[in-house]
């Protein structure tokens, strides 16, 4: 797990808020946090919890995983896996059994590819 990068998180949040054309107060109200607290997050003075990040993401209509990556809570590769799983689980055109089968196949491919990558790494000759 990466370290919490609150400076970049604050800048990112501010940019997302501006793109959404929300004032600081509007976002604070929509996310259920105080205006001063949100201001401190944006200025990099506070470290929000994952729950607060989730509330902010919902209010901004962006994925919570995106904010987790910005905050250093989640690695970029982890976000891809979480988002892939979320898309499969949210698909209304397939039933629950099919979703579970797809997730099992997806996980088996990830494990197989990780094992292949590990073997290739082990086979590489040392560099002089």
């Amino acid at each position: 797990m990466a370290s919490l990068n609150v400076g970049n998180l604050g800048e990112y949040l501010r940019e997302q808020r501006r793109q959404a054309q929300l004032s600081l107060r509007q976002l604070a109200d929509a996310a259920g946090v105080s205006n001063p607290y949100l201001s401190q997050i944006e200025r990099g003075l506070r470290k929000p919890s994952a729950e607060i990040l989730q509330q902010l993401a919902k209010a901004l209509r962006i994925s919570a995983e995106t904010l987790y990556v910005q905050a250093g809570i989640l690695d970029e590769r982890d976000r891809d896996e979480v988002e892939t799983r979320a898309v499969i689980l949210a698909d209304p055109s397939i039933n629950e059994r099919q979703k579970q089968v797809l997730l099992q196949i997806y996980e088996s491919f990830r494990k197989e590819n990780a094992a292949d990558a590990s073997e290739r790494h082990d086979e590489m000759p040392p560099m002089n």
Side-chain angles (χ1 to χ4, degrees):
M1 184 160 75
S3 63
L4 200 61
N5 194 347
V6 291
N8 287 344
L9 171 65
E11 293 168 17
Y12 182 80
L13 272 173
R14 184 179 300 115
E15 182 59 32
Q16 292 301 309
R17 178 175 58 77
R18 288 180 178 157
Q19 286 181 10
Q21 298 180 339
L22 294 171
S23 70
L24 193 69
R25 186 171 307 282
Q26 288 171 320
L27 178 56
D29 289 345
V33 299
S34 74
N35 194 39
Y37 182 62
L38 180 55
S39 175
Q40 291 173 348
I41 294 171
E42 283 193 359
R43 290 182 288 140
L45 303 174
R46 290 288 189 133
K47 297 177 182 180
S49 67
E51 182 179 333
I52 296 295
L53 290 173
Q54 188 171 27
Q55 290 169 221
L56 289 166
K58 185 176 179 183
L60 289 166
R61 296 189 171 140
I62 60 176
S63 76
E65 289 79 13
T66 300
L67 290 184
Y68 296 161
V69 169
Q70 288 296 319
I73 294 172
L74 190 64
D75 186 89
E76 186 75 34
R77 293 176 305 243
D78 295 335
R79 182 184 78 168
D80 292 343
E81 179 183 356
V82 168
E83 288 180 348
T84 300
R85 291 176 179 280
V87 167
I88 291 170
L89 292 171
D91 189 334
S93 67
I94 58 177
N95 66 38
E96 290 304 312
R97 184 188 60 77
Q98 292 167 331
K99 290 175 185 180
Q100 292 307 312
V101 169
L102 270 176
L103 289 172
Q104 290 171 354
I105 293 168
Y106 174 67
E107 187 58 34
S108 71
F109 284 154
R110 287 180 53 82
K111 286 180 181 175
E112 179 181 323
N113 291 343
D116 288 348
S118 177
E119 287 175 13
R120 282 193 305 273
H121 178 74
D122 291 345
E123 293 172 1
M124 293 181 68
M127 302 208 38
N128 291 336

